[in-house]
Amino acid sequence: MSTALTEQQFSDRLEACKEKLYRFAFSYVKNEQEALEIISEASYKGFLSYEKVKSPDYFETWMTRIVINCSLDHIRRKKKYTYMEDSTIPFAAEESSMGLEEQWDLYEALDHLHPKIGHLSF
């Protein structure tokens, strides 16, 4: 016989296993802030469907699966972007090689640029 969880039971069980869930998320993304975002997203998704848990005994396993899926989704989304810090190609010269006046001119010129919204071209 299956008994649906109440909102309070969901909250209590989530609180009891949140550190373990955080460790799972962190093991995937290796970043504290991203792991916390994943836990937040997984908690929300779990809350939306906690009444569907067939057996409260499997709550932790069920939430772990949600955290893993959220972690994998996060990794997939992150791969769509290339971060400059990940690149081995130097994008700028050392700041010390440019005089102070040249730096001011450069910053002033950058302030006057208008970015194209929605499209970047290199």
Side-chain angles (χ1 to χ4, degrees):
M1 181 176 161
S2 67
T3 57
L5 290 172
T6 65
E7 190 173 318
Q8 185 61 49
Q9 288 172 320
F10 170 81
S11 179
D12 293 344
R13 288 172 186 259
L14 184 61
E15 185 66 29
C17 66
K18 71 179 182 179
E19 288 181 30
K20 183 177 181 181
L21 297 175
Y22 170 80
R23 285 193 302 272
F24 267 107
F26 188 85
S27 72
Y28 278 86
V29 295
K30 308 289 190 273
N31 179 292
E32 181 180 349
Q33 190 60 41
E34 290 177 13
L36 290 171
E37 289 173 18
I38 289 167
I39 294 304
S40 179
E41 179 183 354
S43 298
Y44 176 71
K45 287 182 176 185
F47 180 75
L48 291 178
S49 58
Y50 70 88
E51 294 167 331
K52 296 176 185 175
V53 176
K54 291 182 173 63
S55 172
D57 296 338
Y58 297 113
F59 177 82
E60 191 172 321
T61 304
W62 176 73
M63 277 304 301
T64 299
R65 190 72 237 166
I66 293 173
V67 167
I68 290 170
N69 287 337
C70 287
S71 297
L72 294 173
D73 288 346
H74 178 83
I75 290 167
R76 280 187 216 105
R77 282 191 306 266
K78 191 175 176 181
K79 281 186 178 179
K80 290 182 182 178
Y81 304 100
T82 301
Y83 298 98
M84 289 180 65
E85 64 199 29
D86 293 342
S87 176
T88 58
I89 301 170
F91 283 97
E94 298 263 336
E95 228 178 274
S96 62
S97 67
M98 191 183 304
L100 187 58
E101 190 172 308
E102 290 173 307
Q103 288 179 28
W104 286 341
D105 290 342
L106 177 61
Y107 290 136
E108 187 175 324
L110 289 172
D111 286 341
H112 292 357
L113 290 177
H114 298 286
K116 291 183 180 179
I117 297 176
H119 183 267
L120 293 175
S121 60
F122 293 97

